[in-house]
């Protein structure tokens, strides 16, 4: 059965109704899931297997049957491990129906259907008794309910319910225990992901400074954790202020509480500085003795950094303190970890929380609008002074004393730059209420509320009255829009430029003038794992899972490139960067298809995992802003990516990413920009350049 799905087109700005398969959302979730990454996580798999064997042995040594409850079974891998280790029976719970269906087939294919029952329910809905899903309580609890924050997927409520209703008292649990660690640091780079810094603007009248509103400075920030590949952050980007502190542990073999709690650790700062950021991670111990441990620690805190396991399903956490606070070396202070049933957050206190009994800080919630409008990379982008200076230099070349400017971007400071650089009048369009309120606060803090006109409506709906009857001589955009996921979604600026064409005066200037789409073929160090078939996992056949992911990837949107912040994922360029499409913002969007096809020669040996695509915006003939590669690759091909943007990755499926290196290759491509829909469709194919006989 087909269903109609409404979708806001991020490029054209229009609402579209598309006919989709009724299982469309399921396929999207499967295609974008981390199942493959988890199955490729050798360290995780081995440690779970060791812990399961030990737990089954302890139960058997007591003369009991080993009855296993596996919550969040996924492929059924952990249940199959349990049966292989000697478990008498496993009840494997999986709430996601397509995954549960796949688990039934995987279990059957591996010959365990008589020992494993797949239950397609949430664990809190599982019934107990002769006519229930489980006839009796289990004595071994196996789970993999964790996210980067440990508890963000609802692990605590699930454990709490399981202990009350589904497992025996003092059951064996794999993992047995989890411990959350934290380290306090000072980091201008990471703090720039959370606060707006003062921005100097050099003008003909001297230096002006764009200052953040006091409300933004006092705001505790966004409630969500920032999970990143902390191993890719240079140690030069932060100053360590504390040792690694064990903040709290959860024993999964006993009754677990999901109630809000806080845990404090007293420490003496290792250096004086400004406490801004808490770096956090966790480890899980698979056995009561703590001999089988799986750690998420970054390289500088890992017990064996040479054996560091790359993984994307579990990373590390960056938490921002509500305010930066000075700390003095050797002067004791308390770091406090707070959590409710799903979130963790941190605060600093000068005295023991247990002694002063004051009200503990609530979960941070943004009240300044900025953290609702700007994500963490966007904060970093706005705080990038080199990038701001590039826009300032470009503006100087196009601004005139009588310029009437219209700025079109979401929550952009371009309008302030244009005003400070001498524009006669500046209008800025803010299509959302949140961006409108935020920009009003910023203008007021800088005494510009009467000098820059904010228009709260979609730019396509602008009227001459909104512009006070004036014609626009300079149309500006970064361009940046909060609805953009893929690099070319910001081509929405081109559609806006087309919609406001009637408001542009004779000889009006558009900045950026043009844009171009670029690509390069890469070999990833690790990211290839998220799209690589597993086949066999620890001796169990999971081809059915591979096939399900492949079918999901055959759906329309899943065949597109997907966004990834590649500064977190090292890769090597195997080809030279190549421009494949251009877009001329000086003219309206053309009615005809923009087509490109060609080939890319690979100049370095390596495994071709995919093509990376990004946009470059040509502000003027002499000034270009890249959202992708920031400089040409070195001899080895190592890439340096824009740290504020996500690039698009088109994964190749024509070759085994772990296969031995072959001879020279070329990549053929076709790329089409469809003006009516704003979509970019593409196809890449990999082929050897040598003849078979050579």
């Amino acid at each position: 059965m087909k269903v109609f799905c409404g979708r806001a087109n991020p490029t054209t700005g229009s609402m579209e109704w598309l006919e989709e398969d009724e299982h469309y959302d399921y396929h999207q979730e499967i295609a974008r899931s981390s199942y493959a990454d988890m199955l490729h996580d050798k360290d995780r798999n081995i440690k779970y297997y060791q812990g399961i064997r030990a737990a089954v042995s302890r139960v058997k040594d007591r003369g009991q049957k080993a009855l296993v409850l596996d919550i969040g079974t996924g492929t059924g891998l952990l249940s199959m491990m349990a049966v292989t280790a000697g478990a008498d029976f496993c009840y494997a719970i999986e709430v996601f129906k397509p995954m549960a269906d796949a688990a039934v087939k995987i279990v059957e294919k591996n010959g365990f259907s008589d020992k494993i029952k797949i239950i397609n329910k949430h664990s809190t809905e599982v019934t107990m008794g002769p006519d229930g899903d489980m006839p009796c309580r289990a004595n071994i609890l196996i789970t993999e309910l964790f996210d980067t924050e440990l508890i963000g997927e609802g692990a605590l409520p699930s454990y709490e319910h399981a202990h009350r209703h589904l497992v025996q008292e003092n059951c064996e649990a794999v993992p047995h225990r989890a411990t959350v660690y934290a380290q306090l640091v000072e980091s201008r780079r990471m703090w720039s992901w959370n606060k707006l810094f003062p921005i100097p603007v050099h003008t003909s009248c001297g230096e002006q400074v764009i200052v953040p509103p006091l409300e933004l400075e006092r705001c505790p920030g966004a409630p969500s954790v920032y999970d990143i590949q902390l191993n890719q952050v240079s140690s030069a980007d932060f100053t360590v202020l504390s040792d690694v502190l064990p903040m709290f542990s959860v024993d999964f073999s006993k009754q677990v509480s999901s109630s809000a709690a806080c845990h404090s650790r007293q420490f003496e700062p290792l250096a004086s500085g400004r406490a801004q950021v808490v770096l956090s991670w966790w480890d899980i111990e698979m056995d009561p003795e703590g001999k089988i441990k799986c750690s998420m620690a970054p390289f500088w805190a890992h017990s064996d950094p040479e054996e560091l396991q790359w993984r994307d399903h579990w990373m590390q956490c960056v938490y921002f303190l509500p305010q930066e606070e000075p700390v003095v070396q050797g002067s004791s202070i308390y770091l406090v970890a707070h959590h409710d049933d799903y979130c963790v957050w941190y605060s600093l206190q000068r005295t023991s929380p247990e002694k002063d009994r004051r009200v503990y800080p609530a979960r941070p919630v943004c009240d300044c609008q900025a953290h609702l409008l700007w994500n963490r990379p966007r904060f970093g982008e706005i705080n990038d002074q080199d990038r701001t200076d590039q826009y300032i230099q470009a503006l100087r070349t196009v601004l005139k004393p009588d310029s009437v400017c219209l700025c079109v971007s979401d929550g952009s400071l371009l309008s302030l730059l244009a005003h400070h650089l001498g524009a006669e009048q500046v209008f800025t369009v803010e299509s959302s209420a949140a961006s409108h309120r935020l920009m009003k606060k910023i203008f007021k803090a800088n005494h510009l509320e009467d000098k820059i006109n904010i228009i709260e409506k979609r730019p396509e709906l602008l009227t001459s009255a909104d512009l006070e009857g004036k014609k626009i001589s300079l149309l500006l955009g970064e361009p940046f829009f909060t609805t953009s996921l893929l690099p070319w979604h910001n081509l929405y600026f081109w559609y806006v430029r087309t919609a406001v064409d009637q408001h542009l005066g004779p000889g009006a200037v558009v900045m950026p003038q043009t844009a171009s789409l670029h690509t390069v073929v890469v070999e990833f160090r690790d990211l290839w794992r998220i799209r690589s078939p597993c086949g066999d996992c620890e001796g169990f056949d999971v081809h059915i899972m591979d096939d399900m992911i492949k079918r999901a990837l055959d759906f329309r949107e899943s065949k597109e490139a997907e966004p990834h912040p590649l500064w977190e994922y090292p890769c090597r360029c195997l080809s030279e960067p190549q421009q494949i499409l251009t877009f001329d913002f000086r003219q309206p969007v053309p009615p005809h298809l923009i087509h490109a096809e060609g080939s890319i020669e690979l100049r370095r040996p390596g495994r071709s995992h995919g093509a990376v695509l990004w946009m470059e915006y040509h502000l003027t003939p002499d000034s270009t802003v890249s959202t992708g590669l920031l400089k040409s690759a070195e001899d080895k091909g190592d890439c340096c990516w824009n740290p504020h943007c996500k690039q698009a990755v088109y994964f190749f499926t024509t070759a085994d990413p772990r296969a031995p290196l072959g001879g020279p290759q070329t990549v053929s491509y076709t790329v089409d920009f469809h003006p009516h829909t704003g979509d970019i469709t593409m196809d890449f194919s990999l082929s050897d350049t040598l003849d078979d006989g050579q």
Side-chain angles (χ1 to χ4, degrees), residues 139-160:
N139 53 13
I140 299 176
L141 175 58
I142 300 174
T143 59
E144 208 281 51
L145 300 171
F146 315 118
D147 66 350
T148 293
E149 200 173 18
L150 183 70
I151 66 173
E153 291 185 1
L156 296 182
S158 295
Y159 272 112
E160 185 174 43

Side-chain angles (χ1 to χ4, degrees), residues 148-149 225-232 279-282 295-300 308-309 311 314-319 568:
T148 293
E149 200 173 18
V225 65
Y226 190 18
D227 52 340
I228 66 172
Q229 294 283 356
L230 204 51
N231 288 312
Q232 299 308 314
L279 309 180
S280 183
W281 56 88
W282 48 265
S295 177
M296 307 308 118
F299 68 88
W300 67 86
L308 204 63
Q309 169 74 49
R311 46 176 67 97
W314 297 329
M315 294 185 276
Q316 294 83 35
C317 302
V318 173
Y319 295 95
E568 296 184 51

Side-chain angles (χ1 to χ4, degrees), residues 38 71 357 395 424 486 553 577 642 678:
M38 288 187 283
I71 301 179
R357 296 182 181 178
L395 274 169
E424 180 180 283
L486 292 165
L553 288 169
N642 186 315

